[in-house]
Amino acid sequence: MQASSRDSSREKSRWLKGLVGDEKRWIRLSIAAGLFAGLMLILQAHLLARAVDATLFHQAQLPDLWPWLVVILLALIVRVLAGMLREWCGQRASVGVRARLRAELLQRLAALGPAYTRQQRSGELSSVLIEQVEALDGFIARYLPQMALSVMLPLVILVFVLPINWAAALIFLITAPLIPVFMALVGTRAAEANRRNFKALAQLSAYFLDVVQGLATLKLFSQSQAQRQIIARNAEEFRLRTMQVLRLAFLSSAVLEFFASVSIAVLAVYLGFSFLGLLDFGSWGGQITLYHALFLLILAPEFYLPLRELGTHYHAKQEATAAAERILDLLNEAERLEAGGSVPMGKGLPGLALDQVSFSYAGQSSAVLQHCSFRVNPGECVALVGPSGAGKSTVLNLLAGFERPAEGQVLIGDQPLSSLSRQDWMQRIAFVSQHTTLFPGSIRDNLLMAKPDASDAALQNACDKAAASEFIQRLPDGLNTQVGEAGNNFSGGQIQRLALARAFLKDAPVLLLDEPTASLDQESEAQVLKALEHLCQGRTTLLLTHRPTTLRLAQRILHLHQGQCIEAAIESPTAQLKEGSE
């Protein structure tokens, strides 16, 4: 079990290091700045020891020391600037990595589609995208540069110490490994505590968002106070877990400081006994001078400082490793569900078909679809009707590639969907849902999601065809009008017409419509239907609906019942709907 845990931790560490990618140049520059600051420190130690030795034993006066003092001051300024450059470069690398990772996660979630995200808790996904990605900051910005500096800087210091006193260099070499050993011992506990802490944070975020979204219902049933107490208990549990992590972090710092202090004390004792004449070894053919002792004592804390800082940032590494666990789970799940073939889509209108498809959701004993088969011919508009819960939306998710059948095949033309390039297929379909989402930004931004490089003329044409220009022109800022949260400054009919405008703008050959006129009044429905009639022309269309008026768009009607598709008579759509409802 422990070996498996170590292998998993190594795998996460390799993945975290691999995230740096193109930002390696900033990490290298941060390391170079740290090394240069270390060299300036050695120069300061040398000049300061020389100045003290010259003052006490060579009767040097202040005018004699001025050149050394100026150089010491300049070295101090350069060290400060190098430290600032080191931190800035680390942060630049961290910002780039986190931005790229968030973009990849959002892209993966978008590719997985609503079928996947509906099964997840929004608060937990938000926690992954925000808090857990943010937790990588310390690892990228500070731990990675410090890991290199903790090896390089002590070696550079040893290069200057060894020619002066081999015994001091030996003390450094013997005591230095104590710090990383105890760092790893304490860090193991910190990693486990961080994993528990992130899990608790994800659960708290998910639960809090669920409560906020259902606050109106809780108020109606007088349960808001009870939920407040539950949130308070969860928050207190999270606070205790956070304090446990901080306790381990402070314990780690205390242990590292203790062993660093003991190591410096050993060197000081050696130098003291050498001055008293009780020890007579270490120097190369001579006695230890005050210059040697001061130079070694000034450098001693700086020799252990990179190791102590590595121990401090080791907590950031364990935090990043814990955060990587959920991020990797999400990426692996996305990769598993996204995996498709490499066969490119052919030109022309494709047909759609389910061939003996069976499907059931996890945790459900009964199958939603059982050996279901049907075909939509190229350029044909087919309506799929049936009672709520019959699996109509599941059929759309299967055709879009958001779900995969347990048995049978989804066919696009004569090719299995699993063999086609997923990216090509996503470009060939337009999906209009009954719950269209508008995002904060302008109307233009929302429409350009369908085709980012569309011109203003194409935007205007799409709005005209979707009958959206009528209300957009009445707005003070037209297409630049800002959309409120979830589109709350637009009516349901206006939102649906904007969704249709997106579909017109994309101009995809395959159209999947999920209750496009649901929850609309008669006037809005008439406008949307007119736009739909235009949109469906020359496209392969599968239409899900309960409304008889929408069925008039269809050339054929399929009835989904008990997991099977049955051809229905188009002459009596109203009767067919009543039969399906029963």
Side-chain angles (χ1 to χ4, degrees):
M1 180 71 73
Q2 291 180 352
S4 175
S5 177
R6 285 195 296 269
D7 291 343
S8 176
S9 180
R10 289 194 204 100
E11 180 184 347
K12 291 169 191 168
S13 296
R14 285 195 296 269
W15 177 77
L16 286 168
K17 292 173 185 176
L19 280 177
V20 177
D22 295 337
E23 310 302 328
K24 280 184 180 177
R25 64 186 186 277
W26 298 111
I27 298 293
R28 294 193 187 105
L29 188 55
S30 177
I31 294 170
L35 276 175
F36 189 71
L39 291 173
M40 290 299 101
L41 173 69
I42 294 172
L43 177 61
Q44 281 183 284
H46 164 69
L47 293 175
L48 187 59
R50 279 290 182 203
V52 173
D53 182 68
T55 301
L56 294 178
F57 293 101
H58 301 284
Q59 291 79 43
Q61 301 298 319
L62 186 59
D64 302 324
L65 302 177
W66 268 117
W68 291 351
L69 295 177
V70 170
V71 175
I72 290 173
L73 180 60
L74 290 175
L76 177 62
I77 294 173
V78 172
R79 273 186 66 199
V80 171
L81 294 175
M84 293 171 62
L85 177 63
R86 172 188 165 188
E87 184 68 21
W88 182 83
C89 291
Q91 285 298 325
R92 181 69 180 267
S94 174
V95 168
V97 169
R98 285 179 287 135
R100 192 173 66 249
L101 180 59
R102 281 199 178 99
E104 182 181 357
L105 287 170
L106 288 170
Q107 185 178 8
R108 293 293 184 92
L109 286 173
L112 288 173
Y116 174 80
T117 54
R118 275 198 297 264
Q119 298 172 16
Q120 307 298 314
R121 303 181 74 179
S122 301
E124 186 175 354
L125 289 178
S126 299
S127 175
V128 173
L129 289 168
I130 300 173
E131 284 91 356
Q132 298 194 29
V133 172
E134 197 67 24
L136 307 185
D137 174 55
F139 176 83
I140 303 294
R142 288 175 283 278
Y143 178 78
L144 285 182
Q146 192 61 40
M147 190 166 60
L149 289 172
S150 65
V151 176
M152 295 180 180
L153 272 179
L155 289 177
V156 170
I157 291 175
L158 280 175
V159 168
F160 287 90
V161 169
L162 188 59
I164 295 175
N165 191 291
W166 61 262
L170 186 63
I171 291 172
F172 285 157
L173 284 172
I174 292 174
T175 56
L178 292 174
I179 294 177
V181 166
F182 282 93
M183 171 186 73
L185 291 176
V186 178
T188 304
R189 292 288 306 277
E192 181 60 32
N194 269 302
R195 276 193 290 272
R196 293 195 301 268
N197 195 46
F198 275 122
K199 188 176 293 185
L201 176 61
Q203 291 174 350
L204 178 62
S205 300
Y207 189 82
F208 183 74
L209 183 59
D210 290 344
V211 170
V212 170
Q213 290 175 336
L215 192 58
T217 304
L218 293 173
K219 285 285 187 182
L220 287 173
F221 289 92
S222 301
Q223 292 296 313
S224 56
Q225 289 300 318
Q227 293 301 316
R228 185 178 67 84
Q229 294 172 3
I230 293 174
I231 291 175
R233 285 199 302 270
N234 292 340
E236 177 65 14
E237 180 182 353
F238 177 67
R239 185 189 69 83
L240 293 175
R241 291 184 185 277
T242 303
M243 294 308 296
Q244 182 183 9
V245 173
L246 290 175
R247 187 163 58 247
L248 288 171
F250 285 122
L251 173 63
S252 174
S253 298
V255 169
L256 299 182
E257 290 291 343
F258 172 76
F259 282 101
S261 300
V262 168
S263 302
I264 295 170
V266 170
L267 177 65
V269 169
Y270 161 73
L271 293 173
F273 278 111
S274 297
F275 279 125
L276 293 174
L278 300 177
L279 295 177
D280 189 19
F281 64 89
S283 293
W284 299 95
Q287 292 186 341
I288 296 177
T289 65
L290 179 63
Y291 162 73
H292 294 155
L294 285 176
F295 183 66
L296 293 174
L297 285 174
I298 292 173
L299 286 184
E302 305 303 327
F303 177 84
Y304 297 106
L305 181 62
L307 296 170
R308 287 182 359 237
E309 288 185 350
L310 180 65
T312 302
H313 298 320
Y314 190 74
H315 172 71
K317 185 236 180 181
Q318 298 297 346
E319 185 181 18
T321 303
E325 184 173 354
R326 182 66 182 100
I327 296 173
L328 275 173
D329 288 344
L330 181 57
L331 289 174
N332 291 336
E333 180 72 8
E335 187 174 348
R336 182 182 69 82
L337 293 176
E338 280 187 79
S342 57
V343 178
M345 289 284 299
K347 296 182 179 180
L349 286 175
L352 309 175
L354 296 189
D355 181 19
Q356 296 296 312
V357 166
S358 296
F359 180 86
S360 59
Y361 288 102
Q364 293 185 0
S365 56
S366 59
V368 180
L369 301 176
Q370 293 181 333
H371 305 292
C372 179
S373 297
F374 69 84
R375 176 173 291 276
V376 181
N377 298 317
E380 186 181 25
C381 179
V382 174
L384 183 64
V385 301
S388 297
K392 300 188 299 298
S393 295
T394 301
V395 170
L396 284 193
N397 288 330
L398 287 167
L399 288 171
F402 298 149
E403 301 283 7
R404 293 190 172 188
E407 297 178 20
Q409 285 185 323
V410 179
L411 299 175
I412 309 300
D414 296 325
Q415 294 285 342
L417 178 58
S418 57
S419 69
L420 296 177
S421 167
R422 181 177 177 83
Q423 185 175 2
D424 283 357
W425 178 232
M426 287 292 100
Q427 293 298 322
R428 302 295 296 275
I429 63 173
F431 198 113
V432 179
S433 170
Q434 58 178 314
H435 302 298
T436 299
T437 299
L438 296 182
F439 300 94
S442 65
I443 295 177
R444 184 190 304 275
D445 296 333
N446 276 269
L447 296 179
L448 287 176
M449 292 177 67
K451 192 175 182 180
D453 58 346
S455 64
D456 287 346
L459 279 173
Q460 187 61 50
N461 185 43
C463 292
D464 291 341
K465 290 180 178 179
S469 297
E470 173 208 347
F471 73 87
I472 292 176
Q473 290 172 355
R474 294 199 304 265
L475 299 172
D477 297 325
L479 287 172
N480 296 319
T481 300
Q482 293 298 306
V483 176
E485 186 69 26
N488 58 13
N489 52 337
F490 295 103
S491 67
Q494 291 172 337
I495 291 175
Q496 285 301 86
R497 279 180 274 172
L498 289 175
L500 292 174
R502 277 201 290 224
F504 274 114
L505 188 63
K506 189 171 185 180
D507 195 23
V510 178
L511 190 59
L512 303 178
L513 304 173
D514 183 7
E515 300 283 0
T517 60
S519 305
L520 298 182
D521 56 59
Q522 289 185 351
E523 182 180 351
S524 297
E525 182 183 24
Q527 291 175 318
V528 170
L529 282 174
K530 185 177 179 181
L532 278 173
E533 187 175 1
H534 190 186
L535 179 62
C536 294
Q537 291 177 6
R539 291 179 172 86
T540 304
T541 305
L542 183 63
L543 168 66
L544 271 58
T545 185
H546 284 96
R547 295 201 174 193
T549 51
T550 311
L551 286 175
R552 298 193 186 101
L553 299 172
Q555 296 163 272
R556 284 194 298 129
I557 298 176
L558 298 174
H559 180 212
L560 186 60
H561 183 64
Q562 294 183 351
Q564 298 283 333
C565 271
I566 306 167
E567 190 87 19
I570 198 168
E571 290 81 10
S572 182
T574 306
Q576 190 66 42
L577 280 175
K578 289 181 179 178
E579 181 185 346
S581 300
E582 293 171 2

